[in-house]
Amino acid sequence: MNDEILDLVDDVAHRVQRAITSRDCPAIVAVDGRRKLVLSDYDYLRDRATAQAFERRAAEAAHTVHAVRWVFAVPMIWFESSAGISARAVSNDPLNEGEQESILWIAFDQADGIDYGRVPYTRRPNGEPIFGDTEIVTLNVSLDDQAPGRTLLRHFLEGDDHPAA
């Protein structure tokens, strides 16, 4: 990953961290092109239709500014399943064994392609989040259409001169 996309990942991850510290859990996307735009959606985790609508709006914004890179992040619960790594929406319920609260992110850069990662976090007994380091997922990532950021990626690539993902 180049420095510009790493900086954008850090920027978006820190924005989500500040929101989590304030007990919010928005999806946040930053698109960088002729200018930089940051969009957020506090209802993203409510249902799939709301999530897809936000991601489509983000893809439109990316095209509007002729984005060359963007980063999408959302807090989720990360866990291993028989299918590999999976995620579910955050909730006030206790974590199950093997689950980890994380900020999941997907990054697109015209020069470097697509990267996936997370920022894991734990909570102190009083609920205060303690964030880990940003991790780049190096596993062979295969996302279905339900995965966070997938609708954004598809709509961004289909509407541009990039090969479809």
Side-chain angles (χ1 to χ4, degrees):
M1 292 176 68
N2 64 44
D3 289 343
E4 288 95 356
I5 197 69
L6 285 172
D7 289 345
L8 201 57
V9 167
D10 286 343
D11 177 33
V12 173
H14 284 107
R15 289 171 187 266
V16 176
Q17 288 174 16
R18 284 191 301 274
I20 291 169
T21 300
S22 298
R23 304 212 184 265
D24 286 324
C25 54
I28 297 178
V29 63
V31 296
D32 189 14
R34 291 186 179 156
R35 64 179 192 206
K36 181 179 171 185
L37 293 176
V38 178
L39 302 109
S40 62
D41 190 314
Y42 286 81
D43 291 329
Y44 181 87
L45 294 173
R46 184 179 65 198
D47 57 51
R48 190 66 198 141
T50 301
Q52 288 177 330
F54 174 66
E55 291 186 34
R56 283 191 301 272
R57 286 192 310 274
E60 291 170 13
H63 285 289
T64 299
V65 299
H66 302 279
V68 294
R69 68 188 58 83
W70 52 260
V71 173
F72 170 88
V74 64
M76 301 284 288
I77 305 296
W78 163 287
F79 60 96
E80 291 187 38
S81 69
S82 59
I85 301 297
S86 296
R88 66 174 176 83
V90 294
S91 72
N92 292 325
D93 297 329
L95 296 175
N96 296 316
E97 186 174 330
E99 292 183 330
Q100 169 75 57
E101 287 184 287
S102 297
I103 298 168
L104 302 184
W105 56 264
I106 178 174
F108 171 84
D109 184 272
Q110 213 168 27
D112 286 346
I114 303 162
D115 289 290
Y116 304 93
R118 73 178 185 140
V119 178
Y121 62 99
T122 57
R123 292 187 185 270
R124 292 190 168 143
N126 68 358
E128 177 188 0
I130 306 299
F131 298 98
D133 294 330
T134 300
E135 301 173 0
I136 298 172
V137 176
T138 58
L139 305 171
N140 184 10
V141 177
S142 176
L143 299 178
D144 64 15
D145 282 339
Q146 302 298 311
R150 182 65 180 170
T151 298
L152 166 58
L153 178 63
R154 187 178 69 248
H155 282 272
F156 178 75
L157 294 178
E158 286 175 355
D160 207 344
D161 295 325
H162 304 289

